[in-house]
Amino acid sequence: VGREPAAGVLEGLDPAEARRILDAGRPRAVRKGATIFREGEPARAMHLVEAGRIRLGQVTAAGDEVVVRMAGPGELFAAVAALDGRSYPFTATAAEPTRLREWDLSVLAELLRACPRFQANVLGIVGIHAREMLDRFRELATEPAPQRIARALLRLLGPPGPSGERVAEGVTRRDLAAMAGTTLYTASRVMAAWQREDLVRPGRGRVVVPSAARLVELAEARA
Amino acid sequence: VGREPAAGVLEGLDPAEARRILDAGRPRAVRKGATIFREGEPARAMHLVEAGRIRLGQVTAAGDEVVVRMAGPGELFAAVAALDGRSYPFTATAAEPTRLREWDLSVLAELLRACPRFQANVLGIVGIHAREMLDRFRELATEPAPQRIARALLRLLGPPGPSGERVAEGVTRRDLAAMAGTTLYTASRVMAAWQREDLVRPGRGRVVVPSAARLVELAEARA
DNA sequence: CGTCTCTTTGAAACGCGTCAATGGCTGTGG
DNA sequence: CCACAGCCATTGACGCGTTTCAAAGAGACG
């Protein structure tokens, strides 16, 4: 199953209409660590990341954290909550300084109705996210921890730099663990082992991957 | 998070319109074990269970099975695939003789456009399913196997009978394991242990639960 | 320069998966 | 009608992957 480059919400719209839709949304800037909304709150809006990174997570009654997804530039979040008007299913916090654009429920409903292509785009993105959750569910149920950590890391990597290396910036061992459904300790050990094999160059709050290809092999091994 | 009684797709529609929508769908009967569609196939339709039970599952490259959801009477499946027109994200097979109603993509698009309430209902159901996957993801990442098996069992139980007992019919240990993300063996052992505590009365392909309350306690314990 | 977060590493315990073998129930066909 | 095949279930033994607990080091930030 190939990963698609998160098709933009404005894909295929003519520039004027795209402009109109963007302008209907409210811009918002948040500091690192700021909370956009909390799990259980009634949905107010659909949110788009313009720059920065948002961490979508749940906290269990026992205090364990689970990261549902990290949303980067161009990515939508809480689209389902906005579409069905119920409550937010996770808590959103800024992993770094972030610019957002937010469409309030009533405004959104109007835009979706007026612009079929926009509606199709939003539904397409909802579909991508639903499929991704299904994949991660299966991975969590069937794959060992190191493999899941490889997948989590791949999902967090930025674009390749000049030397072909890719970096996951602002990602702690705790973050990796919370995405992979394991513990901080296991994540640390796995990174240490990979470092010895020269698969990664881990640092404090960052991971440098010289060649993602070997990581992909690891993630997709069907041992 | 309370579980809602899977709001029907036709909820809130006046009878005439409900009739019209139903008639636009194609009825279909399948034998036990029959495959409705396979993971990866291009989506053809949105499907509704009228009677019977459909098993929505994925199979890993290594051959392990994961059950994404069991869809019972009144429940919709593959709604997301039908909305975004891409491929089915799981394989659907009949767990028992089943009657379905299916709306082809083009027909569905027309109905959704013509009837806002119907569209809202479908989106609401998509939302419920998305939230449920999120919940199960968190449970899988943080809870021990017996607790997940308790949750799986609760999700599979039928309505309470005259004596207040509830039964999961046509559910094997393998099914329970595939829903809980564990193995057939662990499921068997857990059932045996619960039987000793008189929590369940397991049988071949069925599980009788005298009092679901104690199971709920087990499922929600935050120890 | 102290505090806080992030990280590493060891040692021990344990849950659960894995393997193997056995027995029972069901439906089918000779 | 009985025997066989096939699926479902049970149970023990074993081992390994991971979590858990504890302690200490290192980089970042005010």
Side-chain angles (χ1 to χ4, degrees):
Chain A
V1 180
R3 182 131 296 105
E4 314 193 22
V9 235
L10 303 179
E11 195 110 328
L13 292 167
D14 67 82
E17 193 142 38
R19 189 71 257 159
R20 201 169 58 77
I21 289 178
L22 268 183
D23 287 343
R26 191 175 356 91
R28 177 175 176 187
V30 294
R31 291 190 309 278
K32 175 173 178 176
T35 299
I36 321 299
F37 54 75
R38 290 183 195 282
E39 179 179 355
E41 286 179 11
R44 292 186 310 268
M46 181 172 83
H47 310 257
L48 172 72
V49 179
E50 291 193 331
R53 258 169 55 250
I54 298 292
R55 176 187 158 112
L56 309 174
Q58 294 192 337
V59 181
T60 70
D64 302 310
E65 290 190 293
V66 175
V67 171
V68 169
R69 186 160 59 92
M70 299 291 305
E75 289 194 79
L76 224 49
F77 61 98
V80 168
L83 286 178
D84 74 10
R86 280 191 276 262
S87 58
Y88 289 116
F90 38 60
T91 296
T93 56
E96 46 189 273
T98 298
R99 281 190 301 112
L100 299 170
R101 189 157 296 260
E102 305 181 328
W103 290 272
D104 286 324
L105 259 49
S106 53
V107 174
L108 177 66
E110 175 57 33
L111 290 175
L112 291 172
R113 198 158 47 71
C115 179
R117 179 60 201 252
F118 179 59
Q119 182 182 44
N121 287 349
V122 171
L123 286 178
I125 289 171
V126 166
I128 289 175
H129 293 163
R131 279 162 232 266
E132 183 171 340
M133 274 312 295
L134 244 41
D135 286 342
R136 295 187 56 199
F137 182 78
R138 189 197 53 238
E139 294 159 11
L140 196 47
T142 61
E143 298 175 355
Q147 196 162 345
R148 296 187 331 250
I149 292 173
R151 290 193 190 270
L153 186 51
L154 284 170
R155 290 192 169 104
L156 293 171
L157 285 178
S163 63
E165 72 182 18
R166 299 174 62 189
V167 183
E169 201 70 57
V171 174
T172 67
R173 305 291 178 275
R174 174 181 292 278
D175 291 333
L176 273 176
M179 273 204 76
T182 180
T183 63
L184 154 64
Y185 308 103
T186 298
S188 177
R189 278 183 242 269
V190 168
M191 296 301 293
W194 285 348
Q195 183 179 20
R196 283 188 283 277
E197 299 176 33
D198 220 50
L199 242 153
V200 300
R201 288 175 38 88
R204 178 190 172 90
R206 72 200 304 262
V207 183
V208 180
V209 179
S211 158
R214 296 179 54 198
L215 213 54
V216 172
E217 266 180 59
L218 245 173
E220 267 153 25
R222 58 182 213 78
Chain B
V1 182
R3 182 132 293 104
E4 313 195 23
V9 235
L10 303 179
E11 195 111 326
L13 292 168
D14 67 83
E17 193 143 38
R19 187 74 256 156
R20 200 169 59 77
I21 289 177
L22 268 182
D23 288 342
R26 189 175 359 88
R28 176 174 177 189
V30 295
R31 290 190 308 280
K32 174 174 176 173
T35 299
I36 321 299
F37 54 75
R38 289 182 196 285
E39 179 180 355
E41 287 177 13
R44 294 186 310 268
M46 179 171 83
H47 310 257
L48 173 71
V49 180
E50 291 192 333
R53 258 169 55 249
I54 298 292
R55 178 187 154 110
L56 309 174
Q58 296 193 336
V59 181
T60 69
D64 301 310
E65 290 190 293
V66 175
V67 171
V68 170
R69 184 160 59 93
M70 299 291 304
E75 290 194 79
L76 226 49
F77 62 96
V80 169
L83 286 178
D84 74 12
R86 281 190 275 260
S87 58
Y88 289 116
F90 39 60
T91 296
T93 57
E96 47 188 272
T98 298
R99 281 190 302 111
L100 298 170
R101 189 157 296 260
E102 304 182 329
W103 290 272
D104 287 324
L105 259 48
S106 53
V107 175
L108 177 66
E110 176 57 33
L111 290 176
L112 290 172
R113 198 156 46 71
C115 180
R117 179 60 202 251
F118 180 58
Q119 183 182 44
N121 286 348
V122 171
L123 287 179
I125 289 171
V126 165
I128 288 176
H129 293 161
R131 280 162 231 266
E132 183 170 339
M133 276 312 296
L134 245 40
D135 286 341
R136 294 188 58 199
F137 182 78
R138 187 197 54 237
E139 293 160 12
L140 196 47
T142 62
E143 297 176 356
Q147 195 162 347
R148 296 188 330 249
I149 293 174
R151 290 193 189 270
L153 186 51
L154 284 170
R155 290 191 168 105
L156 293 171
L157 285 179
S163 63
E165 72 181 20
R166 300 174 63 188
V167 183
E169 202 69 58
V171 175
T172 66
R173 306 290 179 275
R174 175 180 291 279
D175 291 333
L176 272 177
M179 273 205 77
T182 178
T183 64
L184 155 63
Y185 309 103
T186 297
S188 178
R189 277 183 242 271
V190 169
M191 295 302 291
W194 285 349
Q195 184 178 22
R196 283 190 283 278
E197 298 177 33
D198 219 51
L199 239 155
V200 300
R201 287 174 40 87
R204 180 191 172 88
R206 72 200 304 263
V207 183
V208 181
V209 178
S211 158
R214 296 180 53 199
L215 213 54
V216 172
E217 267 180 59
L218 245 171
E220 268 154 25
R222 58 184 214 78

